[in-house]
Amino acid sequence: MSKKVKLDQVHYSSTIKLNVGGQHFTTSVQTLRKDPNSMLAAMFSGKFEVKPSEDGSFFIDRDGTYFRFILNYLRNDELILPDGATFLKELEAEATFYQIQGILDELSKPKVQFTIDNLPKEFEDSLILTTETRRVLKGWLPLVMAGEWRLLFRASRDGFASSVFHSKCDNKGPTITVVKSGGNIFGGFTENSWTSNHFLDANEVKVSCRHAFLFSFVNPSGLGPTKLPLISGKEDCAIVCKSRCGPVFGGWVGHDLFTSSGGSYSSSKLGNTYQRPPGQKSTFFTGEESFCVADYEVFGLCQ
């Protein structure tokens, strides 16, 4: 007579490592359970004994090429694809396998064809942002920031000298900085003005903000569009104004995003003043603490 053995609830750590067809991803167990009807939610529900590999990752025998879109949909509740994506059939097959109905519903919707008349106008002068990232960035802004965002400064056009940045961007009110370093795209928003005092070059002015945030669109981790709010209690140094530097965000024991004059010695220690994504390091933006800026743009609000 066979005896049935009751399996106790399996408990997983808050951070899960996945190996999808040889590509590695790190996410939270809450993200994997986001869609309760999906295969991933069932896999990590705790009702089944799923054992990790020797390296601690859980193996899924699928092509990992499009898994980041699956994962980012669960994170953001939104399907975000590159402009002109040609892999929709492949993505549909993966969404079917993982049983994520939300993605299947999005893929079945009629696609909007952008024309000159209906192309989003926000940040239209940007050479870094795509149509999709422009739309996402606009959605992250406080409602009171409605208006036209006009290009104030572009390093590749105006020069990388900090003096030029300050001459074009100081005392302009709310601004958005968009940075490109290699293939990585990131930046920050502040509702208060940049300033500088050329008579006090050794000093820095810390500016308090309530609504400032950093963001990432492309990063070495493969994490999709991500908004990084201020850490509660550290609003008083949301931005740091230095006449000898470009835009600087955060000032607690290192800067979360530091743009040098010239761009060659820029750096990031994310997590001091702004929140960093779970499981990510302080080098989230580029993979390195120090990096070179290929270009950056600053937009001002015209209300």
Side-chain angles (χ1 to χ4, degrees):
M1 181 175 178
S2 61
K3 181 186 294 185
K4 291 184 178 180
V5 179
K6 182 179 179 181
L7 181 66
D8 293 332
Q9 188 83 4
V10 179
H11 297 282
Y12 296 99
S13 63
S14 59
T15 302
I16 299 291
K17 294 181 180 180
L18 299 174
N19 177 353
V20 184
Q23 296 194 36
H24 294 265
F25 302 86
T26 301
T27 187
S28 67
V29 69
Q30 290 84 359
T31 294
L32 295 172
R33 294 172 178 171
K34 196 78 170 287
D35 183 342
N37 298 315
S38 71
M39 181 274 280
L40 292 169
M43 181 177 177
F44 293 98
S45 65
K47 298 178 181 179
F48 309 100
E49 187 175 15
V50 182
K51 294 184 178 180
S53 303
E54 292 183 359
D55 64 356
S57 66
F58 293 88
F59 179 72
I60 300 177
D61 190 14
R62 298 291 293 183
D63 187 341
T65 306
Y66 308 110
F67 186 72
R68 70 185 183 95
F69 298 107
I70 301 287
L71 203 54
N72 288 334
Y73 175 81
L74 295 174
R75 288 165 172 152
N76 304 318
D77 292 318
E78 183 179 14
L79 180 60
I80 300 173
L81 302 175
D83 292 339
T86 59
F87 50 82
L88 301 185
K89 288 185 177 180
E90 292 88 344
L91 182 58
E92 182 180 7
E94 296 306 300
T96 300
F97 173 79
Y98 293 109
Q99 301 176 39
I100 301 180
Q101 189 60 43
I103 294 181
L104 296 174
D105 292 342
E106 287 292 323
L107 292 174
S108 66
K109 289 180 180 179
K111 301 298 181 291
V112 176
Q113 297 297 319
F114 286 104
T115 66
I116 295 298
D117 294 330
N118 67 8
L119 189 68
K121 299 297 182 184
E122 294 83 12
F123 319 108
E124 61 181 343
D125 293 327
S126 179
L127 299 181
I128 301 175
L129 296 172
T130 65
T131 299
E132 181 59 29
T133 54
R134 283 158 51 187
R135 184 183 66 79
V136 172
L137 182 54
K138 180 70 173 181
W140 284 338
L141 296 171
L143 293 177
V144 294
M145 297 299 162
E148 179 185 354
W149 287 88
R150 183 175 301 170
L151 182 68
L152 301 175
F153 169 87
R154 178 182 294 126
S156 59
R157 179 192 70 184
D158 303 315
F160 283 81
S162 60
S163 58
V164 181
F165 158 71
H166 284 290
S167 69
K168 290 182 174 292
C169 302
D170 280 2
N171 305 311
K172 300 293 185 181
T175 56
I176 293 174
T177 301
V178 183
V179 182
K180 182 177 177 61
S181 175
N184 304 299
I185 298 173
F186 50 94
F189 160 78
T190 171
E191 74 267 30
N192 292 326
S193 292
W194 297 103
T195 62
S196 59
N197 189 333
H198 294 280
F199 298 101
L200 296 171
D201 280 342
N203 292 349
E204 62 182 32
V205 178
K206 295 179 180 179
V207 179
S208 177
C209 299
R210 293 178 57 196
H211 304 292
F213 61 85
L214 295 178
F215 59 85
S216 170
F217 285 126
V218 183
N219 51 75
S221 300
L223 195 61
T226 305
K227 180 181 178 181
L228 309 168
L230 282 159
I231 296 173
S232 179
K234 296 189 176 181
E235 295 86 354
D236 59 339
C237 57
I239 62 172
V240 180
C241 301
K242 299 182 180 184
S243 60
R244 292 184 177 180
C245 303
V248 179
F249 290 82
W252 286 82
V253 195
H255 303 298
D256 294 65
L257 176 56
F258 173 85
T259 307
S260 66
S261 183
S264 298
Y265 300 100
S266 299
S267 62
S268 174
K269 293 182 179 179
L270 185 61
N272 289 305
T273 307
Y274 292 83
Q275 300 175 30
R276 63 176 185 242
Q280 300 298 326
K281 299 180 179 179
S282 61
T283 56
F284 169 65
F285 285 139
T286 66
E288 301 289 341
E289 183 175 313
S290 299
F291 54 86
C292 293
V293 173
D295 200 2
Y296 76 95
E297 300 169 335
V298 180
F299 294 85
L301 179 61
C302 301
Q303 294 178 317

